Amino acid sequence: MGRHSRTGPERAGPDTDADAALAKATDEGPEGVRPGPGSGRRRRPAGAESHVSFQQAAHVRGGHPEHREPGGGWGAGPGTGRPADGERPVPRRPMGQARTADRAEKAGRAQGAPASARPAGTKSLIPGPRREFVEAFDTPPTPPTPPPPRGEGGPAAGRGAEGSGGGTGQPEEAEEGKEGRGSKGRTFTGIAAAAVTTVLAVVVAGQVAQDDGASNTARSAGVDRDDTRDASRSDDRPTPTAPRVKPLTYEQKMARAYPLAAKLRGPGKFDSVPGTAKAPGTGHKYRYRIDVEQGLGLDPDLFARAVQETLNDDRSWAHDGAMTFERVSSGDPDFVITLASPGTTADWCRKSGLDTTVDNVSCDSAATERVMINAYRWAQGSATFGPDELFAYRQMLINHEVGHRLGHNHVSCRTPGALAPVMQQQTKSLDIDGVKCRPNAWAHPGR
């Protein structure tokens, strides 16, 4: 049968006498009679049993007294001489009486004594942690508020006054012990959480400082860490740019071939090249206009410049100031130099009884105002001059057809190996009647 179910007379012994003495000392108050100092050894009354049975021995939890630091989160302990908040002062007792009261209280709890059997006016010797200290770790931080008034029902009053208002029994004491142990665990948990948070904050701060230092070092070293740039490109390496295309010179353009079909037939509509070019020399002035058929895809300005510079060259018909040529874009010119497709050229040459379809050549349509330049020959040249002499061939083409307008007829080469006359049909052949001559673009070539 358990010890809480024992029935029988009330236990008597030395501890009972100690309890009575303790109660008497407590009732007398601080001015009561105190026993003299002892020798430190527990004394038993005469006639008491030398040994106490196991059932009568008071059980001490853990076998050792629990030591608590005075003050702080655990409140004021016994013998500190300083009461906890809200508690009334408790008279100090000699060490012998304190030990006797401690053993009596523990024996009462072990034997399951009711609250009425405990000495009146006694209080717990091991107070629990202060509630406000525990709540500082168990609850999230809140804005500071005025502390609650100390008085009835407060944390200190509820724990400090034991026995007032009916007293407290063993169940309440057991509950208080559990609360103390749980609060202690929560306190340690809160302290550990605060320590972990502090360590993490220090680690993160160190990493941030390290990253900032690395970034500053990289910037001071001239390293660009922007992800938008190519990581393999250094600052010293120049950014490639598109090469600047240098425009072609007049000579280069005149030496190039341009695409145009040999049987192209254009719409037969012409556009006059705007602007004028004054006659540079003396002598008889000829005024001319330049028309270019639509849809050829050739440069009309290049063609106009070639005509003006070729006719007024001293090797041409303007030699020794015999005549000069001026380009106009309106009015009534002496003739119209026309750049046209092979089909349109054949049409205009046919009006003057000429057939240009054989060998795809040009003509002076004397019955009209137009001197026809075959665009295919202008763009592609001829086999007699070859691809390397396109510039000279175009000069010959202008001088030959304008020479017909000036009244000159065809002339053939008479001396083998000599320069062919400009009025020879050099587009067709440089070898006439077994006499082969060299290509020539000028009416008055240099010797």
Side-chain angles (χ1 to χ4, degrees), residues 8 30 35 49 70 172 235 426:
E49 295 179 1
E172 182 178 352
D235 293 339
Q426 297 180 60

Side-chain angles (χ1 to χ4, degrees), residues 425-436:
Q425 292 180 305
Q426 297 180 60
T427 298
K428 292 182 178 182
S429 178
L430 290 174
D431 188 352
I432 299 175
D433 298 334
V435 178
K436 186 175 181 179

Side-chain angles (χ1 to χ4, degrees), residues 95-323:
M95 184 177 295
Q97 294 182 8
R99 290 180 178 176
T100 303
D102 185 16
R103 286 195 300 271
E105 182 180 1
K106 291 179 180 179
R109 285 200 302 267
Q111 296 297 331
S116 59
R118 298 177 60 185
T122 60
K123 59 193 298 294
S124 176
L125 299 181
I126 305 176
R130 293 186 181 177
R131 184 172 302 171
E132 58 271 17
F133 184 78
V134 175
E135 291 177 352
F137 293 93
D138 291 344
T139 59
T142 56
T145 56
R150 298 286 183 177
E152 296 182 3
R159 289 185 191 160
E162 188 176 300
S164 61
T168 56
Q170 183 177 359
E172 182 178 352
E173 184 69 17
E175 190 69 21
E176 182 178 357
K178 287 201 246 176
E179 180 181 357
R181 289 193 297 273
S183 301
K184 180 178 178 182
R186 288 193 296 271
T187 302
F188 288 155
T189 302
I191 294 174
V196 172
T197 304
T198 304
V199 172
L200 290 177
V202 172
V203 172
V204 172
Q207 291 179 351
V208 171
Q210 184 177 2
D211 292 342
D212 292 343
S215 300
N216 294 333
T217 303
R219 283 193 291 270
S220 62
V223 178
D224 191 354
R225 298 183 65 179
D226 189 358
D227 294 339
T228 58
R229 294 189 56 186
D230 188 2
S232 64
R233 183 177 302 283
S234 63
D235 293 339
D236 297 336
R237 181 178 175 182
T239 302
T241 56
R244 225 169 144 186
V245 179
K246 187 177 180 180
L248 297 176
T249 62
Y250 167 71
E251 289 77 10
Q252 291 173 335
K253 291 179 181 180
M254 288 292 288
R256 293 182 62 184
Y258 301 99
L260 198 140
K263 297 182 178 181
L264 176 65
R265 176 176 289 275
K269 297 180 180 180
F270 307 99
D271 292 328
S272 297
V273 177
T276 60
K278 296 295 184 180
T282 60
H284 182 77
K285 185 189 330 185
Y286 290 93
R287 300 172 70 249
Y288 68 94
R289 188 181 78 234
I290 292 182
D291 288 353
V292 178
E293 187 177 13
Q294 298 174 0
L296 295 179
L298 300 175
D299 187 357
D301 294 329
L302 177 64
F303 180 70
R305 180 179 177 180
V307 171
Q308 178 69 8
E309 293 189 9
T310 298
L311 292 177
N312 286 288
D313 192 293
D314 188 62
R315 295 168 293 177
S316 184
W317 306 113
H319 179 69
D320 291 339
M323 59 188 71

